[in-house]
Amino acid sequence: MRSNVGDLAERAYLADALASLEENPQVALDPAINPKREISFLREHRLARRRLQLEDQRFEVELIAFWLMNRLDEDYGAAMCSSSGGVLRANHPILFHPDQFFYFPLSFPLRNVPELARIFEEYDAQRMSGQDLWARYSCLDGDTGLVKEKNSTKKHFEMYFGSGDGGSEGIFGKFVKPFLGWYLVFDPDVYPEEYYDTFEQLGLLHPHWKRPSDADNSVVKKKRGPKPSPAKQEFVRRYPDGLPAGLTAEAVAEELKAAGFPITGRSIYSYDRERRVRK
């Protein structure tokens, strides 16, 4: 999963950098290129030192990748796989992150995104690296996707979920402990594959990109596009104009759960915000 979102992040970063250098960002959609190598070539461009913050490259790619990881979980839902091959839908306590890196629109330059201001403050003060973003998952190994109990797990759960009956201990014991040693995975049948459609669905389509022509697609076999989750489809069907005034995301989530579409209020809020941003 880290490899997949890393590839997408490198292509998104490359496209913006090429546009800043007055080059063609469409190159970033070419499946034949190695985006990491293309990014390394950017330093040699005559405008690089004036137009790009070269020292931020690595961190910004990791930041985009981490945003994509959270975004994919919102739209497609992560699963857990046991050593014997059993697969179950992952619950959100397993994916808990104390910084609450929920979905928000991402745009360039990244330093202008309000939700990232604090992260860049920590980065500029040399208190945060790209690796730190992944390391602060409370119950996940950010490199391997292994569900595990960390030194900070109970402390983070206590701070967020509280204590007492049904508090941090109960939530950890019910939703995390039974799955220690499992791995986080994404269902390949719903995971988006074609670059242009992937970025379009995730809300990270570069303004200078154009949909590849049929001639371009004939060179590389066209892959299927992403499928929205059943819960997302049902939300859009019931509320085509978005959340009505006075109705909370949590209330809609309970309504959909009762109808057989399990979803969280967090996801409802994200879907509604995404629709408003696109309008």
Side-chain angles (χ1 to χ4, degrees), residues 170-279:
I171 288 177
F172 177 83
K174 182 176 181 180
F175 294 106
V176 180
K177 193 171 183 178
F179 306 105
L180 296 177
W182 290 47
Y183 285 89
L184 187 77
V185 297
F186 278 77
D187 186 345
D189 290 335
V190 300
Y191 182 73
E193 292 182 352
E194 188 177 4
Y195 288 121
Y196 186 93
D197 288 339
T198 298
F199 285 115
E200 183 177 45
Q201 287 291 324
L202 298 179
L204 196 54
L205 199 61
H206 194 275
H208 293 92
W209 275 341
K210 297 179 181 178
R211 182 179 292 279
S213 65
D214 291 339
D216 295 331
N217 285 331
S218 67
V219 177
V220 179
K221 183 178 179 182
K222 186 176 178 67
K223 298 179 181 180
R224 53 177 165 72
K227 306 171 185 176
S229 69
K232 182 176 184 178
Q233 289 178 309
E234 183 64 12
F235 168 65
V236 173
R237 186 187 71 80
R238 295 190 182 204
Y239 301 98
D241 298 322
L243 277 175
L247 190 60
T248 66
E250 287 71 20
V252 173
E254 291 302 320
E255 174 189 326
L256 294 183
K257 286 178 187 176
F261 298 95
I263 194 171
T264 64
R266 163 188 163 183
S267 294
I268 292 293
Y269 173 78
S270 297
Y271 296 155
D272 184 60
R273 184 171 183 178
E274 173 192 349
R275 290 162 62 80
R276 286 188 278 115
V277 168
R278 289 185 177 180
K279 286 181 180 179

Side-chain angles (χ1 to χ4, degrees), residues 62-90:
E62 283 291 338
L63 190 54
I64 298 168
F66 188 65
W67 180 89
L68 286 167
M69 180 71 177
N70 285 268
R71 188 70 177 86
L72 284 167
D73 176 48
E74 288 292 349
D75 270 6
Y76 301 97
M80 298 174 295
C81 182
S82 69
S83 58
S84 62
V87 177
L88 291 173
R89 181 69 179 267

Side-chain angles (χ1 to χ4, degrees), residues 21 33 41-42 46 74 86 125 155 160 162 179 192 241 249:
L21 298 174
I33 71 162
F41 292 158
L42 293 176
R46 59 186 177 83
E74 288 292 349
K155 179 182 70 174
Y160 186 76
F179 306 105
D241 298 322

Side-chain angles (χ1 to χ4, degrees), residues 14 21 26 54 62 65 75 119 121 126 151 156 162 188 220-221 232 251-252:
L14 177 63
L21 298 174
Q26 195 75 9
L54 296 172
E62 283 291 338
D75 270 6
I119 287 179
E121 284 180 13
Q126 299 184 339
N151 293 334
H156 288 165
V220 179
K221 183 178 179 182
K232 182 176 184 178
V252 173

Side-chain angles (χ1 to χ4, degrees), residues 13 39 42-43 53-61:
Y13 177 89
I39 289 174
L42 293 176
R43 294 179 176 272
Q53 292 182 288
L54 296 172
E55 67 279 4
D56 292 351
Q57 276 185 355
R58 190 170 182 179
F59 181 71
E60 291 199 357
V61 169

